Amino acid sequence: MSTRLVSRAPQDTPGTWKSYLGLTAILLVSAFPVYWMFVIATSSDDAVMKSPPSVIPGDQLMVNLREVFTMQDVYFTASLINSLIVALAVTASTLFFCSLAGFAFAKLRFKGNNVLMFVVILTLTVPNQLGVVALYILMGKLGWNGQLIAVIAPGLVSAFGVFYMRQFIAHAIPDELVEAARIDGALTLRIYWTVVVPAIRPALAVLGLLTFVATWNDFQWPLITLNGTDFPTSMVALSDLASGNYVVYRRVLAGAFVATVPLVILLLVGGRQLVRGIMEGALK
């Protein structure tokens, strides 16, 4: 009588105490900087300068936040609104254009397909810093420097997003499904909207989260193009809080804590989709 060995999937394998201990240690180490930022944001100047430092949150959070939001020449409230506008606009545009381009590269046959895809991949090797001067001159010729459109326009589509969506669509959607929709009389845009988009929602969630976080945390280009204006983004406003001969760290970290809250909320809301999209992409 032969014995069959039935293999179990990785998710069915029970975790050991060592794995849980290791994951707990990684979680604590990863979360400690955020906790320490919160401790300083809730402390007074005397508590910040105390040695050894206290690891217990204080009761000065509202006082520090009031100072942050009422400081002149910082415009912290406006900066949060501007960052939200920029991040939402760039994320929505990236999801649409990158998924549309990825669909074209993956499922449509046209002359120069591979060459154009190679050019897109090649742009990933070019550091963004090399194009800052040319981009600033271009925005100046368009009259956009000092406006939010100058921050939004360069991020409307990304090479990484096009490549990522192309790879996901190529493996997630069979060619037969596209051909069946075409035989039924659906045009290319209808195939994209009714067939492709529902099938790539996990990938869209991953790309959307990564794009939103990257845009929210972007500092260099907003600092250059919005320098000296009343329309900063949150990262530029934080740099204004940290400028000067004397830096009030409780104030800076209180502002950093507020700027981090939207990202934490986004991760809590979309974390499951993020993990699902990464796992599906790995399996495909």
Side-chain angles (χ1 to χ4, degrees):
M1 181 177 179
S2 60
T3 303
R4 294 183 59 188
L5 297 178
V6 180
S7 60
R8 292 188 297 182
Q11 60 268 26
D12 295 333
T13 304
T16 63
W17 67 270
K18 293 182 179 179
S19 62
Y20 284 113
L21 181 62
L23 291 174
T24 302
I26 294 174
L27 176 63
L28 293 176
V29 172
S30 303
F32 181 76
V34 179
Y35 175 75
W36 182 249
M37 175 179 62
F38 178 73
V39 170
I40 301 299
T42 59
S43 303
S44 61
D45 288 327
D46 295 336
V48 172
M49 299 301 175
K50 187 172 63 174
S51 181
S54 174
V55 295
I56 305 300
D59 57 356
Q60 300 296 309
L61 178 61
M62 299 309 298
V63 175
N64 296 335
L65 291 180
R66 190 179 303 111
E67 293 183 12
V68 169
F69 283 101
T70 56
M71 281 190 64
Q72 296 181 353
D73 301 327
V74 174
Y75 311 105
F76 199 76
T77 303
S79 73
L80 294 175
I81 297 174
N82 292 337
S83 287
L84 184 62
I85 294 173
V86 171
L88 289 177
V90 170
T91 301
S93 174
T94 298
L95 292 180
F96 175 71
F97 288 115
C98 289
S99 61
L100 190 60
F103 167 59
F105 280 118
K107 297 302 176 182
L108 302 183
R109 301 293 176 259
F110 56 91
K111 189 174 182 180
N113 185 323
N114 294 330
V115 175
L116 288 176
M117 193 67 239
F118 176 76
V119 173
V120 171
I121 297 174
L122 192 63
T123 60
L124 292 173
T125 64
V126 181
N128 294 331
Q129 291 81 358
L130 293 181
V132 167
V133 175
L135 185 60
Y136 186 82
I137 295 174
L138 177 61
M139 293 296 117
K141 290 184 179 296
L142 295 174
W144 289 353
N145 278 327
Q147 303 179 35
L148 288 182
I149 186 64
V151 183
I152 296 174
L156 292 179
V157 66
S158 68
F160 167 77
V162 173
F163 175 73
Y164 174 71
M165 296 307 301
R166 187 259 181 196
Q167 294 300 106
F168 194 93
I169 293 172
H171 294 87
I173 302 176
D175 294 338
E176 294 78 9
L177 187 61
V178 177
E179 293 300 326
R182 198 177 298 279
I183 292 174
D184 289 339
L187 299 178
T188 301
L189 287 179
R190 184 171 179 83
I191 295 174
Y192 161 76
W193 187 252
T194 59
V195 176
V196 175
V197 172
I200 62 173
R201 285 178 180 172
L204 291 175
V206 173
L207 183 59
L209 284 169
L210 295 178
T211 303
F212 187 95
V213 172
T215 305
W216 183 275
N217 290 332
D218 190 17
F219 173 70
Q220 182 190 48
W221 176 241
L223 176 65
I224 294 173
T225 189
L226 300 178
N227 186 30
T229 68
D230 296 344
F231 303 96
T233 57
S234 58
M235 297 300 109
V236 177
L238 286 177
S239 71
D240 292 335
L241 283 174
S243 63
N245 297 326
Y246 178 73
V247 180
V248 183
Y249 290 102
R250 59 177 178 81
R251 191 184 295 162
V252 175
L253 292 182
F257 174 74
V258 174
T260 306
V261 169
L263 301 182
V264 174
I265 295 175
L266 183 65
L267 181 61
L268 293 176
V269 173
R272 185 181 298 273
Q273 285 293 330
L274 178 63
V275 174
R276 178 186 172 191
I278 294 175
M279 292 303 297
E280 289 192 8
L283 292 176
K284 289 179 171 57

